[in-house]
């Protein structure tokens, strides 16, 4: 393993120049069976670099009882930006002689199960970028849940982060605002079905063309330790 962190620093500086707000490295060696890529491809890929870009707080402010068209556009723009940045970082890693797989920022494989190739949220958690909040999203100390993620799988010998020993603590701000009553005191009780039913409703009402909401994202502003 690379003990002097030089490569990690170089990669972080590279993406910070590309509007990336969060950078972390996850050890994925023990969760490869959760990643929907062939075992042959995954064989030597033991690390995931996780990148996050902040969501515009002004655009979130416009959301009241349903997602807005502006938020929908912003959501897609962020995903496109993350995909482009993941591509650039992957190219850099490949030029250095490493394998690198930029994973889609937002590509659902099964809409009913809401499953993708992997969970960026879980990789972000493993990398130490935040904890799983009452809203079932990753919560970062500075950005709250107001960011989106992408991941790059690699065989580069990177030092990995570790999950934070933190949680939402006394904050319960998102429980009252959820229109589906999906958010509970215990994050383990999050009602996925109720949340998904509300996202479908928003899409059927033509507020947006995708299953998104933004209400609990707007509410989760970070720095919960300051409360
Ligand atoms: S995305 Fe919307 S419906 Fe789902 S938990 Fe958050 S506020 Fe509730
Ligand atoms: S708003 Fe508060 S309770 Fe809800 S996820 Fe964010 S930090 Fe946790």
């Amino acid at each position: 393993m690379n003990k002097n962190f030089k490569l990690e620093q170089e990669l972080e500086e590279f993406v910070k120049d590309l509007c990336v707000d969060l950078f972390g490295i996850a050890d994925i060696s023990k969760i490869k069976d959760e990643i929907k890529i062939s075992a042959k491809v995954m064989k030597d890929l033991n690390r995931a670099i996780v990148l996050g870009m902040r969501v515009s707080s002004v655009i979130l402010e416009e959301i009241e009882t349903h997602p807005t068209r502006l938020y929908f556009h912003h959501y897609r723009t962020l995903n496109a930006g993350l995909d482009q940045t993941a591509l650039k970082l992957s190219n850099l890693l490949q030029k250095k002689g490493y394998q690198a797989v930029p994973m889609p920022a937002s590509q659902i494989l099964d809409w009913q199960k809401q499953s993708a190739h992997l969970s960026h949220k879980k990789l972000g958690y493993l990398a130490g970028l935040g904890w799983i909040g009452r809203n079932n999203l990753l919560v970062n100390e500075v950005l709250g849940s107001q960011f989106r993620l992408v991941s790059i799988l690699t065989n580069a010998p990177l030092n990995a982060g570790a999950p934070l020993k933190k949680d939402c603590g006394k904050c319960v701000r998102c429980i009252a605002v959820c229109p589906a009553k999906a958010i509970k005191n215990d994050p383990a009780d999050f009602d996925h079905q109720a949340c998904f039913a509300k996202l479908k409703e928003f899409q059927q009402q033509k507020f947006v063309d995708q299953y998104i909401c933004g209400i609990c994202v707007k509410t989760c502003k970070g720095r919960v330790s300051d409360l």
Side-chain angles (χ1 to χ4, degrees), residues 93-112:
L93 283 161
Q94 289 186 87
K95 277 183 202 150
K96 289 178 177 293
Y98 301 117
Q99 295 173 19
V101 185
M103 299 303 294
S106 179
Q107 186 185 54
I108 300 293
L109 297 178
D110 183 330
W111 278 105
Q112 277 313 314

Side-chain angles (χ1 to χ4, degrees), residues 8-64:
E8 291 84 346
Q9 282 168 4
E10 183 185 341
L11 299 177
E12 185 167 6
E13 274 162 31
F14 178 77
V15 294
K16 289 264 152 105
D17 285 343
L18 298 170
C19 296
V20 165
D21 299 292
L22 301 175
F23 175 93
I25 297 164
D27 178 356
I28 56 169
S29 57
K30 295 191 176 64
I31 60 157
K32 290 189 185 187
D33 56 339
E34 295 177 27
I35 299 174
K36 296 184 186 72
I37 303 182
S38 73
K40 188 175 146 199
V41 172
M42 282 302 297
K43 190 164 83 62
D44 298 321
L45 305 179
N46 290 315
R47 293 290 181 266
I49 302 170
V50 189
L51 311 178
M53 281 185 190
R54 71 179 65 220
V55 178
S56 161
S57 51
V58 177
I59 289 175
L60 285 171
E61 276 311 309
E62 200 196 11
I63 297 174
E64 298 290 348

Side-chain angles (χ1 to χ4, degrees), residues 212-227:
I212 60 171
C213 169
I215 294 173
C216 58
V217 173
K218 172 187 174 180
T219 309
C220 191
K221 295 184 173 174
R223 300 207 187 279
V224 286
S225 55
D226 296 344
L227 285 173

